[in-house]
Amino acid sequence: QVQLVESGGGLVQAGGSLRLSCAASGRTVSTKAIGWYRQAPGKQRVFVAGITSDGRTTYADSVKGRFTISRDNAKNTVYLQMNNLKPEDTAVYYCKADTWPTDSWGQGTQVTVSS
């Protein structure tokens, strides 16, 4: 069983930056793909960025060039560096590990970007 805890969210002005962390415990996630998702009020949860066990990354078009996902396997942690934040980035951000038999999700961290 993997437990995921997100942190690093907060209130920031448009154009600012935040770095989210997704810390895993219980089992190593170094061999797992990890994804960041977000859910804005009244909307569905959507994919933001993902990183494979060997470091390959993918991004939603809406965040390409602004967000960077990375991982530190020694710390069992995945990060999401968010730059040039926009009000439309406001959401609860969740990380997910591709574990078996079911995916593991964190509880989320709120990101609010003011205009």
Side-chain angles (χ1 to χ4, degrees):
Q1 186 103 15
V2 172
Q3 291 80 42
L4 302 175
V5 177
E6 301 95 336
S7 61
L11 173 64
V12 64
Q13 288 188 331
S17 298
L18 286 173
R19 188 177 81 154
L20 305 184
S21 298
C22 171
S25 62
R27 284 192 173 187
T28 180
V29 293
S30 63
T31 60
K32 310 296 182 186
I34 306 292
W36 281 98
Y37 294 74
R38 67 187 182 188
Q39 188 167 18
K43 296 188 176 181
Q44 289 189 330
R45 192 173 300 186
V46 296
F47 172 80
V48 174
I51 187 166
T52 63
S53 58
D54 59 354
R56 287 174 289 132
T57 59
T58 57
Y59 298 93
D61 287 344
S62 59
V63 307
K64 279 181 182 176
R66 299 189 299 122
F67 290 11
T68 302
I69 188 171
S70 62
R71 65 192 307 159
D72 184 337
N73 288 334
K75 295 183 178 180
N76 222 19
T77 299
V78 173
Y79 304 97
L80 185 68
Q81 178 67 43
M82 306 187 296
N83 298 329
N84 191 22
L85 283 161
K86 304 176 180 181
E88 52 264 42
D89 294 319
T90 295
V92 178
Y93 284 71
Y94 301 87
C95 62
K96 177 180 75 76
D98 290 351
T99 53
W100 186 90
T102 59
D103 293 336
S104 300
W105 289 89
Q107 84 291 345
T109 185
Q110 176 71 47
V111 171
T112 303
V113 184
S114 63
S115 58

